[in-house]
Amino acid sequence: MIFQVILLVLLLACSAFLSGSETAFFALSRHELRQFQQRRGAGRLVAELMRHPRRLLLTLMIGNVTINTFIFATSLALFQQVTGQHVVLAALLGLISPIMVTLFGEILPKGMAIDMRERFATRAAPPIQLIQWILAPVTFVLR
């Protein structure tokens, strides 16, 4: 049970990261992207990732939907374990998951990312590039 709670927290953090990244990258202005092109390292990587916005968006969306699916499955298993044979109670507790994902995995990270879009995008770029590489076969099919 403790493992499932820790897993839920980690998955929720991943969901928040991907949601915030989507907002940060796509909120950048053309002027900001031109400035990123002239930087080195992660700054330049931001501009590189934004050269293919459809691929980036697919990566972020597929990653986030996958993470959120794991959140819902893990929370349902946890709630069934806590409630035992009370399936209806487990299902009612399961309503907590969409609320948590909406608040902590979507609304709050997007609000923070819009205000700190340049810094958020710069820090998010290297892991997003890795995720993009991992999901490349899936995003290739969907492009």
Side-chain angles (χ1 to χ4, degrees), residues 7-116:
L7 181 60
L8 279 173
V9 170
L10 290 173
L11 289 169
L12 198 54
C14 290
S15 179
F17 171 75
L18 292 170
S19 294
S21 296
E22 178 186 339
T23 298
F25 277 94
F26 288 94
L28 293 168
S29 69
R30 287 189 174 138
H31 175 71
E32 289 167 328
L33 285 172
R34 277 192 294 274
Q35 288 178 327
F36 275 117
Q37 287 174 339
Q38 299 180 4
R39 294 183 189 172
R40 291 187 148 157
R44 175 166 256 154
L45 183 55
V46 170
E48 263 311 298
L49 290 169
M50 284 301 293
R51 283 185 62 225
H52 305 283
R54 182 178 173 87
R55 183 183 343 161
L56 177 60
L57 186 59
L58 281 170
T59 297
L60 294 169
M61 290 180 70
I62 290 167
N64 210 4
V65 167
T66 303
I67 294 293
N68 290 346
T69 301
F70 284 126
I71 289 173
F72 299 136
T74 303
S75 64
L76 181 59
L78 174 65
F79 296 144
Q80 283 179 333
Q81 187 177 359
V82 168
T83 59
Q85 297 297 323
H86 303 287
V87 178
V88 175
L89 183 57
L92 288 174
L93 285 174
L95 294 175
I96 293 171
S97 297
I99 293 168
M100 285 180 16
V101 168
T102 302
L103 183 60
F104 299 112
E106 294 289 333
I107 294 171
L108 292 175
K110 285 180 182 283
M112 290 173 50
I114 197 91
D115 291 334
M116 306 182 322

